[in-house]
Amino acid sequence: MNWYPWLNPAYRQVVQQHQAGRAHHALLVQALPGMGDGELVWAIGRWLLCQRRDGLKSCGQCHGCQLMLAGTHPDWHRLAAEKGKSALGIDAVREVNERLFNHAQQGGAKVVWLPDAAQLTEAAANALLKTLEEPPQNTWFFLSSPEPSRLLPTLRSRCLRLHLAPPDEAQSLAWLQKQYQGEPEAIRTALRLSSGAPGAALTLLETQNWTQRQALCDALSVALEEDVLALLPQLNHDNAVARIAWLAALLTDALKWQQSGDRFLTNTDRPQLVQQLAQRLPAAALDKSLRQWLLCRDRLSHIVAVNRELLLTEQLLNWESLLKPAARPLAH
């Protein structure tokens, strides 16, 4: 498991609550992807299951620590959807519930972690809810979700929320510059495209991912002057949702540029493309374009078995109609 410096305050806070006997039995961790919530929960779980704790630290040597390091601790329960599936059903929850009401196999705590609590079906959530209402002794639940509002209100109400906020930009940039040898503006852009989550920014900067983002930007610049439908091959991929987010960020930046807010750009490495968009479309058309693309992204994210290519083609045709009557270049 990696460890990130911005996790230290949250780790210390939760462990100290346990030490003081004031810890809540169910913690709902709200964190963006790339913030390290999995690493945080694993570290807290390892401390809870350690048999020879050293203050805020787990010893790393006892049988419990060795089992955690090997990924085989019988009292550490990870609840997630099966590979290739998006829903976590009631059977998996019932199976874990049965184990929780037995004695801990190592004689200590029992820990349950849901990496994505939104995967729970309604039936599974209700089954878990019953256990959260009357939890077995020395049993601790950790639920992760970037959007707690998607969870059942009754489930949220049984948990204490821990918001894992992104660190300030200067701290994140300093950390990223130690991990990645690249252009400062690329690093800043990746961080802002990742909503300030440093781990997600580092993933975006990986060669394959960054090349895809650069290719989309290059294709967009050409498409704006020639044929918008030429963007379809760049958008119609398994990570279409991420690619639309990159496009939406450029449209948002164009709106900022028109209002002389160019020092607040997300895509600081692509000022010419942002200016091109800002000059091509008036503010009303940019705003409508942005709304259309965000709606398209939402449909791709939440409609089961959606025809991705058809949806993207329809959106590009809609966007083309906005671009055709575009006014002459706007003055900054």
Side-chain angles (χ1 to χ4, degrees):
M1 279 280 181
N2 294 322
W3 187 254
Y4 305 115
W6 57 87
L7 298 178
N8 288 330
Y11 174 84
R12 193 160 41 243
Q13 174 190 340
V14 175
V15 170
Q16 286 176 342
Q17 287 171 348
H18 278 278
Q19 288 176 323
R22 294 184 290 103
H24 198 280
H25 69 279
L27 203 61
L28 174 55
V29 184
Q30 180 182 358
L32 292 167
M35 276 299 299
D37 55 312
E39 286 79 359
L40 174 66
V41 171
W42 187 87
I44 296 169
R46 180 176 156 184
W47 183 87
L48 286 167
L49 295 168
C50 177
Q51 296 160 344
R52 295 199 302 268
R53 299 168 188 159
D54 181 14
L56 294 173
K57 298 179 181 178
S58 48
C59 73
Q61 303 298 323
C62 70
H63 190 49
C65 283
Q66 292 300 310
L67 288 171
M68 282 294 284
L69 291 168
T72 57
H73 201 298
D75 298 316
W76 164 264
H77 306 283
R78 184 180 183 275
L79 266 176
E82 294 179 9
K83 190 174 182 179
K85 296 184 179 180
S86 59
L88 177 59
I90 190 170
D91 291 341
V93 174
R94 282 174 173 167
E95 183 181 340
V96 168
N97 280 345
E98 288 180 13
R99 295 183 189 176
L100 295 179
F101 283 97
N102 295 324
H103 290 293
Q105 292 193 38
Q106 292 298 308
K110 290 163 283 187
V111 182
V112 181
W113 177 44
L114 283 79
D116 184 0
Q119 290 181 338
L120 287 164
T121 64
E122 186 172 351
N126 285 325
L128 180 64
L129 183 63
K130 292 178 182 178
T131 308
L132 289 178
E133 288 172 341
E134 297 182 30
Q137 189 176 6
N138 204 13
T139 300
W140 310 98
F141 296 85
F142 296 90
L143 292 74
S144 287
S145 177
E147 299 178 77
S149 60
R150 293 180 59 196
L151 307 181
L152 286 177
T154 48
L155 196 61
R156 295 200 306 268
S157 69
R158 297 298 186 275
C159 301
L160 179 68
R161 189 175 303 188
L162 173 67
H163 181 214
L164 199 56
D168 67 71
E169 188 170 88
Q171 180 186 354
S172 297
L173 289 172
W175 180 81
L176 282 165
Q177 285 162 358
K178 292 178 182 177
Q179 314 298 320
Y180 176 80
Q181 303 301 315
E183 293 294 326
E185 289 308 321
I187 295 174
R188 187 184 304 276
T189 296
L191 182 63
R192 293 182 178 180
L193 284 172
S194 304
S195 302
L202 190 60
T203 299
L204 177 54
L205 286 165
E206 291 175 2
T207 302
Q208 181 181 357
N209 298 327
W210 196 245
T211 299
Q212 291 174 0
R213 184 259 175 182
Q214 298 292 63
L216 176 65
C217 290
D218 293 339
L220 175 60
S221 182
V222 175
L224 287 170
E225 305 302 329
E226 298 178 5
D227 180 12
V228 173
L229 282 172
L231 271 179
L232 183 60
Q234 287 296 331
L235 292 170
N236 189 24
H237 284 263
D238 289 342
N239 67 338
V241 170
R243 293 179 184 223
I244 291 174
W246 300 339
L247 177 55
L250 288 161
L251 291 167
T252 303
D253 278 351
L255 284 165
K256 294 176 188 174
W257 191 90
Q258 288 182 355
Q259 301 300 319
S260 300
D262 36 305
R263 61 196 178 97
F264 301 109
L265 297 184
T266 294
N267 298 275
T268 59
D269 66 330
R270 288 281 185 162
Q272 291 179 332
L273 178 55
V274 171
Q275 184 177 347
Q276 184 183 2
L277 276 165
Q279 291 178 334
R280 183 71 197 271
L281 288 165
L286 276 173
D287 181 69
K288 189 172 182 179
S289 300
L290 179 59
R291 292 173 186 274
Q292 286 181 351
W293 279 112
L294 291 176
L295 179 60
C296 180
R297 183 185 66 170
D298 189 62
R299 288 173 173 169
L300 282 173
S301 300
H302 299 116
I303 298 177
V304 178
V306 66
N307 187 321
R308 185 178 65 208
E309 184 174 3
L310 184 62
L311 182 62
L312 289 169
T313 302
E314 180 185 18
Q315 170 52 27
L316 285 168
L317 289 171
N318 289 337
W319 199 32
E320 186 179 43
S321 67
L322 285 175
L323 287 165
K324 276 184 177 178
R328 287 179 297 174
L330 304 172
H332 193 293

